[in-house]
């Protein structure tokens, strides 16, 4: 080999070694970064190893068999030990079904409201007893009072009604019947004599006019009439009076007359006014007639 070739080889080798020195420095830097990572235990390998050890022990351990038992006793025990079992999912499903059925029953139990058009009239009552054409009737407190009526233009019949009597003089309301079952022709009997004992805290009767009130138990007496439904009935008026104790004729005193006086009619205030007016008129006529020379 020539000296020139040898020199060229040395220069080339030195340049290669100078270039590869930086590569080894980066490799050394990577080797020093092991502290940046944490070591992790491989549990799966250990668990698999422990499983293999236990299986090996089981294979080595001798297996024992139980002696046969009588079939009768075993069947009895099985029968006694058998109990109805159910999963939580089944119980939840049944509970959910029960809740849904309860909700369905609750929703179905609500009454449906039917709305009618304006061409349908509100329902009313036509009195049968007493006859409204005969005018107001008067009843003595202590007697039985009978009311009867029919329903007119009622498309949705109420299940029960309330029947009351009101008096505007003492601003009192008297209960006749509450939650009375509805029939096509309703009749109610009112024992006015037993009212005080049945309603000790109720108002007393007065000799005045009363108004019969009939309306739906689910509504009120002041409810607005609706088409097809029973409207509050307040059109019938009747009178009631308190009986007076018996007084003998000899002890009776007339408030507008004088007792044992044949001239009671002449001594009344009205008669006196008429007599004075007539006398004044006649005296005035005679005076003016004489003044004008008619006599």
């Amino acid at each position: 080999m020539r000296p020139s070739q040898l020199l060229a080889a040395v220069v080339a080798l030195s340049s290669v070694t100078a270039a590869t020195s930086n590569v080894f420095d980066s490799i050394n830097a990577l080797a020093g970064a092991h502290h940046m990572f944490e070591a992790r235990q491989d549990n799966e390998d250990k668990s698999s190893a422990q499983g293999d050890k236990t299986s090996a022990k089981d294979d080595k351990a001798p297996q024992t068999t139980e002696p046969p038992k009588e079939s009768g006793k075993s069947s009895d025990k099985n029968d006694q030990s058998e109990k109805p079992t159910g999963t939580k999912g089944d119980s939840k499903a049944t509970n959910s079904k029960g809740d849904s059925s309860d909700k369905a029953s609750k929703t179905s139990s609500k009454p449906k409201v039917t709305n009618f058009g304006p061409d349908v009239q509100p329902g009313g009552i036509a009195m049968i007893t007493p006859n409204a054409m005969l005018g107001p009737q008067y009843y003595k407190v202590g007697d039985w009072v009978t009311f009867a009526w029919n329903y007119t233009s009622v498309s949705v019949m109420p299940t029960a009604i309330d029947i009351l009597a009101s008096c505007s003089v003492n601003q009192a309301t008297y209960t006749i019947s509450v939650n009375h079952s509805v029939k096509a022709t309703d009749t109610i009997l009112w024992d006015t004599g037993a009212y005080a004992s049945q309603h000790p805290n109720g108002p007393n009767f007065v000799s005045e006019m009363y108004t019969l009130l009939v309306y739906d138990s689910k509504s009120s007496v002041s409810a607005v009439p609706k088409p097809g439904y029973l409207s509050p009935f307040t059109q019938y008026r009747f009178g009631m009076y308190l009986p007076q104790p018996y007084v003998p004729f000899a002890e009776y005193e007339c408030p507008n007359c004088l007792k044992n006086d044949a001239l009671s009619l002449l001594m009344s205030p009205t008669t006196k006014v008429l007599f004075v007016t007539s006398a004044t008129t006649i005296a005035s006529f005679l005076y003016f007639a004489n003044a004008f020379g008619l006599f």
Side-chain angles (χ1 to χ4, degrees):
M1 180 180 293
R2 295 179 182 180
S4 59
Q5 293 177 350
L6 181 61
L7 181 60
V10 171
V11 173
L13 181 61
S14 62
S15 62
V16 169
T17 55
T20 56
S21 62
N22 296 327
V23 175
F24 290 107
D25 292 338
S26 59
I27 292 173
N28 293 330
L30 292 174
H34 66 277
H35 65 277
M36 298 175 63
F37 302 94
E38 294 182 358
R40 183 177 178 183
Q41 184 178 359
D42 193 357
N43 294 328
E44 294 180 358
D45 296 338
K46 289 184 179 181
S47 61
S48 61
Q50 290 179 359
D52 296 337
K53 289 180 181 180
T54 53
S55 61
K57 289 181 181 180
D58 294 337
D59 294 338
K60 293 179 180 180
Q63 297 181 355
T64 58
T65 58
E66 294 180 359
K69 296 181 180 180
E70 295 180 2
S71 61
K73 294 181 179 180
S74 62
S75 62
D76 295 337
K77 291 182 179 179
N78 292 331
D79 295 337
Q80 293 177 359
S81 63
E82 287 180 356
K83 293 182 180 180
T85 59
T87 61
K88 293 182 179 180
D90 296 337
S91 62
K92 289 181 180 180
T94 54
N95 291 333
S96 62
K97 290 180 180 179
D99 295 338
S100 62
S101 62
D102 294 339
K103 291 180 180 179
S105 62
K106 289 180 180 178
T107 54
S108 61
S109 61
K110 293 182 180 179
K112 295 182 179 179
V113 178
T114 304
N115 295 324
F116 297 93
D119 56 337
V120 179
Q121 297 181 356
I125 286 176
M127 293 298 299
I128 300 176
T129 303
N131 190 353
M133 300 299 294
L134 300 178
Q137 302 294 315
Y138 297 89
Y139 304 97
K140 182 175 67 175
V141 176
D143 293 346
W144 285 84
V145 181
T146 303
F147 298 108
W149 60 83
N150 286 330
Y151 297 95
T152 60
S153 303
V154 179
S155 300
V156 180
M157 191 69 69
T159 57
I161 56 175
D162 292 345
I163 308 169
L164 309 174
S166 66
C167 180
S168 59
V169 175
N170 57 355
Q171 299 294 324
T173 303
Y174 304 83
T175 302
I176 300 176
S177 179
V178 178
N179 290 328
H180 178 74
S181 299
V182 176
K183 299 178 182 178
T185 300
D186 261 327
T187 302
I188 189 70
L189 299 177
W190 187 19
D191 186 6
T192 59
Y195 182 84
S197 60
Q198 294 175 357
H199 303 83
N201 297 326
N204 297 323
F205 287 104
V206 293
S207 299
E208 281 294 339
M209 298 297 295
Y210 294 76
T211 302
L212 181 65
L213 307 177
V214 181
Y215 58 92
D216 191 350
S217 297
K218 297 180 181 179
S219 180
S220 63
V221 70
S222 60
V224 179
K226 294 177 59 177
Y229 291 86
L230 178 63
S231 301
F233 177 74
T234 60
Q235 284 77 34
Y236 183 72
R237 289 173 57 83
F238 61 95
M240 298 189 69
Y241 61 93
L242 295 170
Q244 299 297 325
Y246 174 75
V247 178
F249 183 76
E251 300 177 1
Y252 178 74
E253 294 182 1
C254 178
N256 296 325
C257 58
L258 298 176
K259 183 180 180 181
N260 298 327
D261 190 357
L263 297 177
S264 59
L265 181 61
L266 296 177
M267 298 303 295
S268 64
T270 305
T271 306
K272 292 179 180 180
V273 172
L274 292 176
F275 179 78
V276 172
T277 303
S278 301
T280 304
T281 303
I282 295 172
S284 300
F285 175 76
L286 294 176
Y287 173 78
F288 287 105
N290 186 27
F292 285 99
L294 296 177
F295 298 104

